[in-house]
Amino acid sequence: MIMPFGLIAAPILIKRNKANNRYYRLIYLISVVSLLTNLFILAVIIADRFNWGITSYR
């Protein structure tokens, strides 16, 4: 439920973050890390849905 929110919120924060903000670099870093984490979670969900990377012992 939180993953789609992170995929929407992180790019908005990156775009609206101004260089004159005191925590400009910190906000940018956290937003990029959050975006990458959410993309990884999305990839895991898709891989799980299509059974990619699962080894069968049958």
Side-chain angles (χ1 to χ4, degrees):
M1 183 101 178
I2 257 179
M3 187 265 307
F5 175 73
L7 287 175
I8 295 169
I12 292 172
L13 282 174
I14 291 171
K15 185 176 180 181
R16 295 197 59 174
N17 194 15
K18 303 292 181 197
N20 60 0
N21 185 3
R22 182 176 182 182
Y23 300 110
Y24 173 74
R25 290 185 180 139
L26 180 63
I27 292 171
Y28 186 77
L29 178 69
I30 291 172
S31 296
V32 168
V33 169
S34 172
L35 183 64
L36 292 175
T37 303
N38 285 314
L39 286 174
F40 177 74
I41 292 170
L42 178 65
V44 168
I45 290 171
I46 291 172
D48 184 49
R49 190 64 73 179
F50 290 111
N51 292 326
W52 293 338
I54 304 297
T55 304
S56 177
Y57 293 107
R58 293 183 207 184

